[in-house]
Amino acid sequence: MEIRKEITARFGFIYFAAAIFGIVIVTKIFMIQNMDTEKWKGIAKDLKNNTTEIEAKRGNICADDGSILATSVPKYELRLDLAAPRIKRVYDEKADAFALEVAEFFGISKYQFKLKLDKDFKKGNRWFLIYPEEVNYNQLQRFKRLSTMNRGIFGSGLIVVTENERVMPHSELASRTIGTLNKGAFGGIHGNVGYSGIEGLMEGYLSGENGKAVKRNYSGRWINVPIIEPNDGSDVVTTLNVNLQDFANDALFRQMETSQAEWGTAIVMEVKTGEVKAIANLGRRKDGAYAETYNFALGHAGCSEPGSTFKLMSMMVAMEQGYVDTADVFDTGNGAWDYRGQTIYDSDYHHGGHGKLTMKEIFELSSNVGVAKIITKYYEGHEEDYIDRIYNFGLNKPLGLGFAGEGVPYIKYPDDKVWWGPSLAWISYGYEIKLTPLQTATFYNAVANDGRMVKPKFVKEVRRNGILEKEFKTEVINPSICSKQTLKKAQALLEGVCVDGTGKSLNNPYFAIAGKTGTAQVAYDNEGYSKGGRKNYQASFAGYFPADDPQYTCVVVIVGPKGTYYGSSVAGPVFKEIVSKVYASFMDPREKEMNQVAALPIVKAGFKDEIEITANELDLPIEAKVDSKLIKINQGAEELSAEALAVAEGLVPDVCGMGGSDALYLLENAGLKVKMKGIGRVKKQSLKAGNKIRKGQTIYIDLG
């Protein structure tokens, strides 16, 4: 009994203590919420106003060799705390001098600036914007040296806000695929970083995590004291090759200028891996010039009727089921054939047609009538079987690349409401369906890759501080799209097009190519196939090379060419130029050049510390005892010597011979806007070295 009383007493004490503790907590909460409210609100407001984010540096987007495609350059916003004690004390005496220096520095009106300064000073503005545009590092340092920016005067309230601006050293090259927008472009994740392209696809790796800092006033100067350090983003290494991209872009641009087309795209893909090495997209801007306006290669706007390049898919379906062989003969008549109330024409029907042709000749001459007769002969009444087999190729589904705005293909089915009498015939040669150019490239790449269909690959790996963080392997969509027998026949058909058919003008004496021309009449944005009596055409060529050992697949599509519109004469020359340059640059052994080894390499001008590190790693004999941040290298027979690369403030620097990234850094810090073309070393600069720099001036540099 005594034990029970003792246990009860102990529990009672515990309950009592817990109750008292709870009452204390509730009371304290009540006091915090209802007593000293203004005090706590003030503390919260002060904490909010004086806490700022430290922006994490966004990771770089690199080409396949590590060269920079998109990077972040720091820019600075200049603000002033007009309520700073020292500014208050000297304002009446020094405000005019400060306004004059700022006006001269930025080339603005002193009167307008002083008017705004006085107005904000009276309000006690602690976040006064000195100049609406951001400045670079060099401008910031010069601004700080103004006499009125002394810490005892207006410098005591200077607040420098650092922001990172996304820049592309190679200008607009592959910009829609990379996803970096022009400065000032509408939308984007962070400033001029787009939601689409690799920027959007790899946002989780590139963005990093922002840090936190508290604003504190030390000795009259506001500074940010970090409390949480930022975690910078990782670098993304893409599959894009700068040289191949340059080849594709230049070849496409020249043809667009010649044909005055609406838009065009060119894709170069590595056969075995599916790595997209180049993807050029050019559309017409409002001012009539051509630029990367949209990613036509994989986006919705590029999803259109493929035309004759689809004949390969139709013939492979029929051959796979054993219905037809390359030697089988069909009568194409006079090149015009009435089928279910519609007339199907061959492109050269006005010359009387070709009469009887083998299936191989039908394909080589791209006969619409011949292909339609083959498919309708064996699949009329069994339309589902034909479409199902097309679906089995994976052509009715998006590639699932993860890019925002990826186009969705459309291949109608026999039980769809829009299926009508001649649909089977029209689909057989590429009408009444929609594919993106990249889907066509993926299929042709599978044929080149012995039937193994791989997903187009844009990103190779992610690196943090140079260390591999994640590697992306090649994804196989379909290990075998058809039998080996059908595949060999399909490959022979494609080779025949470039030897005896519509693509023979693309042939060359150095290596064999295989491919298919395509010419399609396309609709005017759902307004029909004719507008004001004018028809709209799409010219294309899809193929791979070398035909006997395929290394690269290339697809070119050009929409709305003026004048001639056939695939062989519009898209074909672009294909030919691209593959010729790729072969000469990447596939030709050039034994003589390989056997010639220079005694000493050519070293670009640049930053002294970087050159010294590289020279030490390669054991190069460079005499670099020069007291200069920038140096240029003189080529000797047995030794490389360095001399200072003088950069006078306010004058155009000499960047000839420098690498692109070093030249970009130097010119932008000098206050110039830079437009860059090509790759390699700077061969030419538009502004003469030593000339005085004017505010907002642009310099064009050619690399080679």
Side-chain angles (χ1 to χ4, degrees), residues 104-107 131 133 136 139 142 648-653 667-674 686-688 690-700:
E104 289 179 348
F105 186 87
F106 290 113
Y131 187 62
E133 294 182 17
N136 59 37
Q139 289 172 312
R142 289 193 288 117
E649 190 173 307
L651 301 181
V652 177
L667 292 169
E668 286 198 337
N669 277 344
L672 291 164
K673 294 179 181 178
V674 183
S686 62
L687 300 180
K688 187 178 179 181
N691 284 359
K692 190 174 181 180
I693 297 173
R694 298 195 308 273
K695 177 178 168 55
Q697 199 168 12
T698 299
I699 184 170
Y700 296 85

Side-chain angles (χ1 to χ4, degrees), residues 226-251:
I227 53 177
I228 301 176
E229 291 291 341
N231 187 19
D232 292 341
S234 302
D235 295 334
V236 171
V237 181
T238 71
T239 61
L240 298 175
N241 182 278
V242 177
N243 284 297
L244 266 63
Q245 183 68 41
D246 204 29
F247 295 162
N249 198 78
D250 284 352

Side-chain angles (χ1 to χ4, degrees), residues 435-447:
L435 297 176
T436 65
L438 191 57
Q439 283 176 304
T440 300
T442 302
F443 186 86
Y444 273 74
N445 193 75
V447 174

Side-chain angles (χ1 to χ4, degrees), residues 621-666:
I622 295 182
E623 183 66 32
K625 294 179 180 179
V626 178
D627 186 19
S628 175
K629 188 176 181 181
L630 293 163
I631 60 174
K632 62 180 180 178
I633 304 300
N634 298 317
Q635 196 83 16
E638 298 181 356
E639 187 179 71
L640 302 171
S641 60
E643 66 175 271
L645 185 63
V647 181
E649 190 173 307
L651 301 181
V652 177
D654 182 4
V655 295
C656 286
M658 295 182 69
S661 58
D662 288 345
L664 178 70
Y665 177 85
L666 188 61

